[in-house]
Amino acid sequence: MRKTDLSGASCPIARSLSDIGDWWSLLIVRDALSGMTRFSEFQRSLGCARNILSARLAKLVERDVLAVAPASDGSAYTEYRLTEKGKTLRVPLVALRQWGEEHLFDAAEERLSLVDKRDGLPVARLELRAHDGRVLSPEDVETRNRGDRHVRDFPDETDDATPRERLLGVFEAQRVSCEAPESPGGVSADTSDEFRDPTHPEARQARFHRDQLYGYVCRQAERAGAREPEALAEQLVMLYAGAADHVLRTRCYPDSVGKAVDVLLTTHGID
C-alpha cells in the first residue's frame, strides 16, 4: 500500500515523520550517531535486506540527513556521514530512548545506556521547558494554528522601521488595544502581564508575556545605541505595565504615556 505523503503537512511532527519516520531510517541515524559510516556496518548492525538499506540510505541522503563522502582510509569504498541537520536528531532520539527505558523495560532488564563522555555518568532526563525556564508537564502545553489569535508572534524586526519607531509602535499597539471595546470574553485591555503585537492581523488579541517584551525592547534599545539598554528596557516595561494597570482601573489609556516614552528615549540617547 502506498504511503501518504506528509511532506506538505501543517504539523511539524507529520513532516518529520515523512523524512525520517520509519524505524529503519531512525535506526540508521542511531548507528551513524554511534560512529558507523559504511554500508556493511549498517547492514551488520541492523540485519535488514540490502535493498531496504540502500533505499533508506538514499532517502536520508536526499533529505540531507546523511551525505556521501569518500572513505576516510583512502579505499574505494564510500561512507555515509551525518550532516549538521542529521546530527541534530540526537535530541529527539535521546527523548525516544528515555521513553523506551521508562515504559518498555523491566527494572532489572539489561539495556544500553547513554552516558556523558566526560565522566561516564548517565545523561539526565530531558525536560520540556517554557521560554522562561519553567519545567512543563504534558498538561502544560497545547498546539495552536499560527493563525490563532493567541499565538505569540514578535513584532517584525526585519522591516525598514528604525528601532525608535518599533519602540513607539509597541506603545501605540497598546493604546489601540486598550481603547478597543470589551470583548465577549472580558475586558480586552487586560494586559498587565502581556503586550500586543502591532503587526499581528488581530492586534487587539495577540499577546506577549512581559519578559518577552523586555527582550524585544532591549534588542531595539541596543540597536538604537542606547546608553544603558537594559535600564531603558526595564523602564519601558514598567511604563507599559503601569499603563495597562491604569486602563484596568479607569478604562482609559493615559495620555501621558507617549510623552513619557519620548523623554525616556531622549534621556538614553535615542533621537
Side-chain angles (χ1 to χ4, degrees):
M1 183 174 67
R2 186 180 180 85
K3 289 185 178 180
T4 301
D5 183 8
L6 301 175
S7 60
S10 60
C11 173
I13 295 176
R15 288 200 187 189
S16 298
L17 292 174
S18 180
D19 264 23
I20 44 86
D22 70 272
W23 65 68
W24 291 125
S25 295
L26 288 173
L27 291 174
I28 289 170
V29 173
R30 177 205 64 183
D31 286 348
L33 287 166
S34 297
M36 296 184 192
T37 60
R38 293 192 178 179
F39 188 99
S40 58
E41 292 177 320
F42 292 120
Q43 190 173 33
R44 281 196 301 272
S45 172
L46 302 176
C48 62
R50 291 180 63 88
N51 63 320
I52 292 176
L53 180 56
S54 295
R56 298 308 188 275
L57 287 170
K59 182 178 179 181
L60 290 171
V61 170
E62 177 188 346
R63 302 293 188 175
D64 193 34
V65 174
L66 294 175
V68 179
S72 55
D73 60 4
S75 65
Y77 294 99
T78 56
E79 294 181 345
Y80 295 91
R81 300 175 186 170
L82 287 166
T83 63
E84 290 304 311
K85 176 182 175 181
K87 292 175 183 178
T88 61
L89 285 168
R90 170 74 80 181
V91 175
L93 284 179
V94 169
L96 191 60
R97 167 190 286 276
Q98 292 180 344
W99 183 86
E101 288 175 337
E102 181 176 352
H103 298 287
L104 305 178
F105 282 80
D106 295 331
E109 192 173 353
E110 286 292 326
R111 59 182 179 271
L112 296 173
S113 297
L114 187 70
V115 299
D116 182 345
K117 283 184 178 180
R118 188 186 69 180
D119 52 26
L121 296 177
V123 173
R125 290 198 60 78
L126 296 179
E127 294 178 321
L128 189 64
R129 292 186 176 272
H131 61 89
D132 58 2
R134 288 176 293 113
V135 177
L136 299 173
S137 73
E139 291 75 26
D140 292 329
V141 299
E142 64 182 4
T143 57
R144 291 176 177 171
N145 293 323
R146 295 292 292 172
D148 185 279
R149 68 181 186 174
H150 296 299
V151 171
R152 275 70 170 169
D153 281 336
F154 281 110
D156 188 3
E157 297 185 55
T158 62
D159 56 19
D160 295 329
T162 65
R164 179 187 175 87
E165 290 170 336
R166 291 176 186 158
L167 291 172
L168 294 174
V170 166
F171 286 89
E172 175 60 17
Q174 184 190 40
R175 183 189 67 77
V176 172
S177 297
C178 290
E179 292 181 354
E182 291 189 13
S183 65
V187 179
S188 64
D190 187 3
T191 59
S192 56
D193 289 320
E194 301 172 328
F195 76 103
R196 315 289 182 154
D197 172 2
T199 67
H200 194 283
E202 296 185 59
R204 293 179 177 180
Q205 285 79 35
R207 300 176 177 178
F208 290 81
H209 290 293
R210 193 183 309 192
D211 57 351
Q212 292 176 315
L213 170 60
Y214 174 85
Y216 177 77
V217 171
C218 196
R219 286 195 301 275
Q220 304 312 314
E222 290 174 345
R223 291 169 183 172
R227 295 190 182 95
E228 296 179 293
E230 293 86 359
L232 174 58
E234 290 177 1
Q235 292 168 332
L236 289 176
V237 170
M238 289 176 61
L239 181 60
Y240 187 98
D245 290 338
H246 185 272
V247 172
L248 290 176
R249 293 193 308 270
T250 67
R251 298 293 187 268
C252 179
Y253 190 75
D255 295 332
S256 60
V257 171
K259 182 176 181 180
V261 173
D262 278 329
V263 170
L264 283 173
L265 295 182
T266 301
T267 301
H268 285 269
I270 301 178
D271 297 323

